């Protein structure tokens, strides 16, 4: 009965811990970068505790049951049926509960990564050997990814040539970029600051130089920049109209 009670307590702890991790903090935007850091800390802590526990137990048994002479043949202790089941089922349950807990948190985090917030700013990304190009809804283009701080950003990405991989180390997010397909990712620049994006899929001789700056700036400053860049892009777009417009001479 003591074993059954212990199993019930461990199960209750695991079931209550998963929703606590998944909530992301009271209806606010769940920053996947923070979730990634939390999950990684849990995995490292889990590996350290389990690895340390196994190391201590193994060292103890190696010392306790060591041979005192070359001719000595060791014998193991005889376990009762209860001890046998206890040594088998309790560790198995603990490890499985721990694995399910981490797997559930990983699945929750995956859903967060794939669910774009409603008010996210959308930016089109085009990759080509060996540069990134960013285009906004008003036609503005840039080789620097400028985004407003405090607002989620979703990137719709494609490639003009080979497979690339868009990686934002600070925001713990990466996604392949392929020709003929549009992939996406989103991130949450909560504060103003500068970071970078790099390609993590080998794409040719200058793959290591395929980087670009990512600037998160205050919203008002971003709106001003976006309006100015869009105004500059409009005449350029108009200049791309066919020269054979109606009524024009050939």
């Amino acid at each position: 009965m003591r074993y059954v009670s212990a199993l019930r307590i461990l199960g209750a702890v695991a079931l209550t811990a998963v929703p606590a991790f998944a909530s992301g903090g009271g209806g606010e935007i769940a920053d996947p970068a923070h979730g990634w850091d939390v999950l990684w800390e849990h995995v490292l802590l889990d590996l350290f505790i389990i690895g340390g526990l196994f190391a201590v137990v193994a060292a103890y048994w190696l010392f306790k049951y060591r041979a005192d002479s070359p001719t000595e043949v060791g014998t193991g202790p005889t376990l009762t049926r209860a001890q046998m089941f206890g040594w088998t089922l309790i560790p198995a349950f603990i490890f499985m509960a721990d694995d399910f807990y981490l797997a559930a948190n990983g699945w929750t985090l995956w859903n967060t990564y794939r669910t774009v917030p409603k008010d996210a700013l959308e930016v089109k990304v085009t990759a080509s050997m060996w540069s990134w190009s960013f285009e906004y809804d008003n036609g503005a283009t840039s080789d620097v990814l400028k985004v407003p701080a405090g607002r989620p950003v979703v990137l719709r990405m494609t490639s003009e040539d080979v497979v690339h991989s868009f990686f934002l180390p600070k925001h713990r997010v990466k996604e392949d970029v392929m020709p003929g397909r549009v992939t996406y990712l989103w991130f949450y620049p909560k504060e103003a600051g500068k970071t970078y994006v790099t390609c993590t899929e080998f794409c040719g001789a200058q793959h290591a130089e395929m980087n670009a700056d990512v600037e998160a700036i205050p919203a008002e400053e971003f709106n001003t920049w976006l309006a100015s860049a869009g105004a500059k892009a409009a005449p350029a777009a108009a200049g791309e109209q066919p020269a054979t417009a109606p009524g024009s001479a050939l």
Side-chain angles (χ1 to χ4, degrees), residues 104-235:
N105 288 339
W107 182 252
T108 300
L109 181 60
W110 166 255
N111 286 330
T112 301
Y113 269 112
R114 304 315 294 170
T115 305
V116 180
K118 293 181 180 178
D119 62 340
L121 171 72
E122 184 165 326
V123 181
K124 295 179 181 178
V125 180
T126 302
S128 60
M129 296 187 290
W130 290 270
S131 65
W132 302 100
S133 177
F134 308 102
E135 181 180 354
Y136 299 79
D137 285 345
N138 65 350
T141 59
S142 174
D143 57 358
V144 175
L145 179 56
K146 289 182 178 289
V147 297
R151 181 180 177 186
V153 179
V154 57
L155 307 178
R156 309 287 180 184
M157 308 180 293
T158 190
S159 171
E160 292 183 343
D161 37 50
V162 299
V163 176
H164 302 274
S165 187
F166 191 95
F167 180 38
L168 288 171
K170 181 178 180 180
H171 298 286
R172 310 288 193 266
V173 62
K174 181 173 69 173
E175 186 69 35
D176 284 351
V177 183
M178 294 166 277
R181 291 185 58 182
V182 177
T183 57
Y184 75 95
L185 60 80
W186 75 274
F187 64 99
Y188 187 26
K190 292 188 289 188
E191 299 177 351
K194 186 176 181 180
T195 181
Y196 68 96
V197 54
T198 185
C199 178
T200 53
E201 183 74 31
F202 182 74
C203 55
Q206 299 182 47
H207 159 71
E209 299 178 5
M210 191 170 173
N211 309 307
D213 291 333
V214 179
E215 296 181 6
I217 56 181
E220 293 184 359
E221 182 179 344
F222 172 78
N223 292 333
T224 301
W225 171 83
L226 184 61
S228 175
K232 293 178 181 177

Side-chain angles (χ1 to χ4, degrees), residues 42-92:
H42 287 181
V43 170
L44 291 180
L45 186 63
D46 177 80
L47 295 176
F48 178 79
I49 292 177
I50 293 179
L53 179 63
F54 271 104
V56 170
V57 173
Y60 171 75
W61 281 344
L62 285 173
F63 178 80
K64 181 177 178 63
Y65 298 107
R66 70 187 185 281
D68 293 325
S69 69
T71 58
E72 183 178 6
V73 178
T75 57
T78 301
L79 301 179
T80 65
R81 179 169 297 181
Q83 290 174 327
M84 180 182 66
F85 281 109
W87 278 105
T88 302
L89 296 180
I90 293 178

